[in-house]
Amino acid sequence: TIRRSFFDCDSVMGKPRGINCARKLRNHRRVQKWADKAYKKANFGTALKANPMGGASHAKGIVVEKIGIEAKQPNSAIRKCVRVQLVKSGKKIAAFVPRDGSLAFIDDNDEVLISGFGRHGHSVGDIPGCRFKVVKVAGISLRALWLHKKEKLKS
C-alpha cells in the first residue's frame, strides 16, 4: 500500500498552490467561467444569433401591417403596434408606436427606424411580445411629427 500524508490530499486542501500550479489554475478558471450566466450569454454567440437586429442598437424596416396588442392583466387596453420586416435580416417583429395618436403618421410600406425598448431584449410593461419601438418614420422623427414640428412627405 502507498502511504499518503494528510497534505497530499487535494480535496481537503482546496485549490492547488505552489510554483508549478499555474496551468491547473488557468484551465480550471477557463472551465468554471461557463457556469456564469452573464459570461455565457456574452460569449456563446447564440444570444447574438437570436437577436433580430443582430447586435445593432437600431434597425430599418418596412411596415407590413398595423396591429393592436391587448395589454396584460390587470390592465385593459389595446396598445398600438406595427408589424415590421427588417431590411437587413428579413425577420418580422412587432414594434410599439409611442404616444397617443402617433399611429396616424405611419402607413403600410413606410420605412421606419426601430430601436430597443430599454430592457435589453425583454418586453416592457403590459405589452406582451413587443421588444422594440418605432423612432423614425420615412426618415423623420416620430416625436417631431407628433409635435407638428415637421410633416411627412407625401410619396
Side-chain angles (χ1 to χ4, degrees):
T1 62
I2 300 170
R3 288 188 64 202
R4 295 184 64 171
S5 71
F6 177 75
F7 298 104
D8 289 341
C9 185
D10 262 350
S11 63
V12 175
M13 294 303 292
K15 62 182 168 184
R17 300 173 192 281
I19 211 159
N20 294 320
C21 70
R23 182 185 290 116
K24 172 83 174 169
L25 289 169
R26 190 182 63 217
N27 290 343
H28 185 68
R29 175 57 34 226
R30 188 177 65 227
V31 170
Q32 292 303 310
K33 270 184 186 176
W34 292 100
D36 181 16
K37 188 178 174 185
Y39 179 85
K40 189 180 268 190
K41 186 176 182 183
N43 293 285
F44 221 176
T46 51
L48 199 63
K49 287 178 189 172
N51 184 357
M53 302 209 298
S57 61
H58 294 72
K60 279 186 179 178
I62 306 297
V63 175
V64 178
E65 63 176 334
K66 297 179 186 181
I67 54 175
I69 295 179
E70 265 187 58
K72 285 197 253 180
Q73 287 292 344
N75 295 345
S76 177
I78 294 174
R79 305 289 179 214
K80 308 307 184 277
C81 300
V82 287
R83 172 108 22 231
V84 176
Q85 184 165 12
L86 298 180
V87 172
K88 83 185 221 180
S89 64
K91 292 181 181 176
K92 289 182 182 173
I93 57 169
F96 177 67
V97 182
R99 289 183 272 284
D100 188 19
S102 290
L103 195 66
F105 299 114
I106 300 175
D107 301 313
D108 285 3
N109 300 318
D110 271 353
E111 189 181 76
V112 292
L113 185 71
I114 302 295
S115 79
F117 215 165
R119 281 201 60 207
H120 301 282
H122 295 280
S123 56
V124 172
D126 62 1
I127 313 167
C130 193
R131 298 157 45 190
F132 308 97
K133 66 180 176 184
V134 177
V135 181
K136 285 185 177 183
V137 183
I140 300 165
S141 165
L142 189 63
R143 188 163 189 271
L145 291 167
W146 185 71
L147 292 169
H148 301 290
K149 290 186 180 259
K150 290 185 180 178
E151 283 188 19
K152 200 168 93 172
L153 296 169
K154 306 283 186 270
S155 55

